[in-house]
Amino acid sequence: MRLESDFLRAWSHSVIIPDKDNGHNFERNFWHAYIDEIREILNEGIHIHHGKAFRGDQKTKEGMVPSSKIKIDFFFRADLMGHYAYLQRGGPQDEEGKFCLHCNEKRERKKAPKFFELYTVPPADSAVTWNDICEEFCMYSQDLRDLNLLVRCGNGALELFEGCNEEDMAVLRSDSNRKILDDCMANPDKLLPAGSKIAIQRYIPICREFERLAQLRLTSIDFIYCTLHLKLRFCNTIVKYIHSIADNNRKLSLINEVFERNCVQIQLSEKRLQEYKSQLDGKQCDDLVQVLPELIRVICGQDMEKVSLWEEAIKDLRTMLSLLQCQHYNRITREEAKSMPFLIRSVAFKLIRLIGQANLLRSYYLHSAAAGHVGSQWTYLYEKFGYEIGLLSMSTVCGATTSKSRASSIRKKSYADE
């Protein structure tokens, strides 16, 4: 329970689930019909008079004193198309030319994703250390180090950097800048000199504004990511990468042998690469994640360094998917919860680094994970309400499966709770 005042003695959350409908019908039958009621409930909640519930303060205005008030919060649970329909924004038909619901990335960034950028250390009056940069941009120190070493060696694809040219890269790779970064990698609490350049993974706050949501004092962060679809898109990206590498190296038969031996219902052929863009189901994804280490050893051959990098990425991917789909608060430790935004961005970084082909990285969900949107929503729900994304996700089965023990496991908590 969340106690707000003498009269506010209960806390409730309403999850709005859409039917499959188009934007025009949502506008007419949902927003136009119910926006005033939603606004009233959000502002005033539910008032209880003599054991009966009334919307807003309709009875209170008549001079009656409510015995209690129930505060209501709204979440919008849908797949991506449902969210597009709710807001009539996002995707290829966005009137503002933006593809993301949560930030202002232009539509062309979907086809030519930009995951990295160069950070210039501000003037000397802003004391910045290596650890400060890791914290500010939600990156593990090892990932920040790996990214800069990759760029230094010429392996960081310029096409994946935002607003960066060869001259900028030359400054980053200069002897003087390399010496500074080497020193700070070894001494992460040492101040970085002003003007130093460092490659970072772009962190894009959830910042897109919608007039209709502003009227209700809501933002797009209340539009919950579907964790099932996120898993599907990540796995589809990996399958396309494996297919591409195996096809180029004449190893498709070996890959299919692994699938068949492990009873994984996936078969790759030269003519079916595009079909797997959105056809893997949840069972196939789970099976794929289990056999990924064996698949990677097939396509990487004797490149044990790359095999090791993939094994680390797979381990983190499994952890991330498990936590994102978890529906029980008490099965997640505080440390896991607090590190989730870092882990999500780290998994995205590892996949981007290992796959490396921009044409295989065109995914709304990969953008959302890499840019920090999924991690931001995780923190918002977990800190403010004590919920995980998995509990509110579109893929969750609610209703009859809910038990008292499960309900008690999602009471409001925070990182500071003892």
Side-chain angles (χ1 to χ4, degrees):
M1 289 299 177
R2 175 169 172 162
L3 304 180
E4 292 288 337
S5 68
D6 292 339
F7 294 115
L8 184 52
R9 298 173 183 166
W11 177 273
S12 180
H13 304 289
S14 177
V15 180
I16 300 177
I17 307 176
D19 294 322
K20 292 184 177 180
D21 216 333
N22 59 47
H24 174 74
N25 286 341
F26 271 122
E27 175 68 26
R28 182 180 60 187
N29 298 327
F30 179 77
W31 291 111
H32 180 74
Y34 296 111
I35 192 167
D36 291 336
E37 285 81 356
I38 292 175
R39 182 188 293 111
E40 184 179 1
I41 290 176
L42 281 171
N43 290 338
E44 299 295 336
I46 301 295
H47 290 210
I48 306 299
H49 295 273
H50 303 296
K52 295 183 179 180
F54 296 88
R55 187 187 76 236
D57 61 353
Q58 50 186 316
K59 291 293 183 180
T60 306
K61 288 180 178 177
E62 299 174 4
M64 299 175 65
V65 178
S67 58
S68 63
K69 301 177 184 178
I70 302 175
K71 189 180 187 309
I72 304 293
D73 286 294
F74 282 93
F75 302 118
F76 293 78
R77 184 167 77 176
D79 60 12
L80 194 55
M81 295 306 296
H83 286 163
Y84 288 165
Y86 269 132
L87 295 172
Q88 298 185 53
R89 291 291 187 275
Q93 306 303 320
D94 191 297
E95 295 178 359
E96 299 174 356
K98 302 171 184 177
F99 81 89
C100 182
L101 290 176
H102 300 290
C103 70
N104 296 311
E105 285 287 275
K106 295 295 185 180
R107 189 180 298 130
E108 54 265 26
R109 287 290 177 262
K110 174 73 181 301
K111 296 182 179 179
K114 304 292 184 181
F115 297 109
F116 310 115
E117 64 184 353
L118 292 188
Y119 172 80
T120 302
V121 177
D125 57 344
S126 299
V128 177
T129 68
W130 180 273
N131 283 339
D132 291 333
I133 292 175
C134 291
E135 190 67 29
E136 180 178 354
F137 295 104
C138 209
M139 292 186 69
Y140 289 139
S141 180
Q142 185 63 44
D143 290 342
L144 186 61
R145 179 181 182 275
D146 289 347
L147 175 59
N148 280 273
L149 292 179
L150 281 170
V151 174
R152 178 183 298 182
C153 297
N155 295 326
L158 185 61
E159 65 178 345
L160 298 179
F161 276 77
E162 173 67 24
C164 184
N165 54 41
E166 290 292 351
E167 292 181 2
D168 296 323
M169 283 294 182
V171 174
L172 178 68
R173 294 167 177 158
S174 66
D175 290 340
S176 58
N177 199 77
R178 290 172 63 167
K179 185 176 180 180
I180 290 171
L181 294 187
D182 285 342
D183 190 19
C184 289
M185 288 178 194
N187 303 281
D189 290 321
K190 184 176 181 178
L191 295 180
L192 283 156
S196 304
K197 289 189 179 295
I198 182 170
I200 62 169
Q201 184 176 342
R202 294 179 70 202
Y203 186 89
I204 308 174
I206 292 180
C207 59
R208 190 166 182 186
E209 296 180 354
F210 297 89
E211 182 178 351
R212 174 168 288 136
L213 295 183
Q215 295 174 11
L216 302 172
R217 291 184 292 181
L218 298 172
T219 71
S220 66
I221 203 169
D222 298 298
F223 284 67
I224 309 300
Y225 279 104
C226 178
T227 55
L228 172 61
H229 283 84
L230 184 146
K231 177 174 71 173
L232 296 180
R233 299 303 176 260
F234 269 56
C235 289
N236 284 332
T237 297
I238 294 171
V239 164
K240 288 191 291 183
Y241 167 75
I242 291 173
H243 195 162
S244 173
I245 300 299
D247 192 21
N248 290 338
N249 293 279
R250 299 184 178 181
K251 292 184 176 181
L252 280 176
S253 61
L254 296 176
I255 294 296
N256 286 328
E257 285 177 12
V258 174
F259 285 139
E260 184 175 356
R261 185 167 61 252
N262 291 277
C263 301
V264 179
Q265 299 300 311
I266 301 175
Q267 285 290 301
L268 303 182
S269 65
E270 295 181 7
K271 297 180 180 180
R272 295 188 61 185
L273 177 59
Q274 294 302 319
E275 291 184 28
Y276 281 99
K277 183 176 181 181
S278 59
Q279 286 196 6
L280 289 182
D281 59 30
K283 177 65 164 57
Q284 288 173 314
C285 288
D286 292 338
D287 292 342
L288 172 70
V289 172
Q290 291 303 312
V291 301
L292 262 181
E294 190 173 352
L295 297 173
I296 292 302
R297 287 192 290 272
V298 170
I299 64 172
C300 291
Q302 300 301 312
D303 190 345
M304 298 312 297
E305 180 181 359
K306 194 162 190 178
V307 169
S308 178
L309 290 172
W310 264 108
E311 287 177 344
E312 182 182 358
I314 293 167
K315 177 183 176 182
D316 288 348
L317 174 67
R318 288 172 174 171
T319 300
M320 181 193 77
L321 293 177
S322 174
L323 293 175
L324 282 177
Q325 295 176 98
C326 180
Q327 299 173 22
H328 297 269
Y329 186 101
N330 56 6
R331 292 183 182 175
I332 299 176
T333 67
R334 288 191 201 92
E335 291 72 22
E336 288 174 328
K338 293 177 72 172
S339 66
M340 267 299 281
F342 288 81
L343 177 63
I344 294 168
R345 276 173 53 84
S346 181
V347 170
F349 166 71
K350 290 180 173 70
L351 292 182
I352 293 164
R353 171 190 180 182
L354 290 166
I355 293 173
Q357 304 175 43
N359 64 307
L360 297 180
L361 300 171
R362 299 167 181 168
S363 164
Y364 173 83
Y365 286 96
L366 183 58
H367 157 78
S368 296
H373 301 340
V374 181
S376 294
Q377 188 173 88
W378 169 280
T379 300
Y380 165 73
L381 293 172
Y382 197 89
E383 285 190 330
K384 186 173 182 180
F385 305 109
Y387 288 178
E388 319 86 5
I389 288 179
L391 183 62
L392 299 176
S393 175
M394 185 65 185
S395 57
T396 306
V397 178
C398 298
T401 60
T402 303
S403 66
K404 291 183 179 179
S405 61
R406 177 174 162 190
S408 66
S409 75
I410 59 172
R411 297 294 187 189
K412 176 173 169 56
K413 300 181 181 180
S414 72
Y415 295 136
D417 284 344
E418 293 297 331

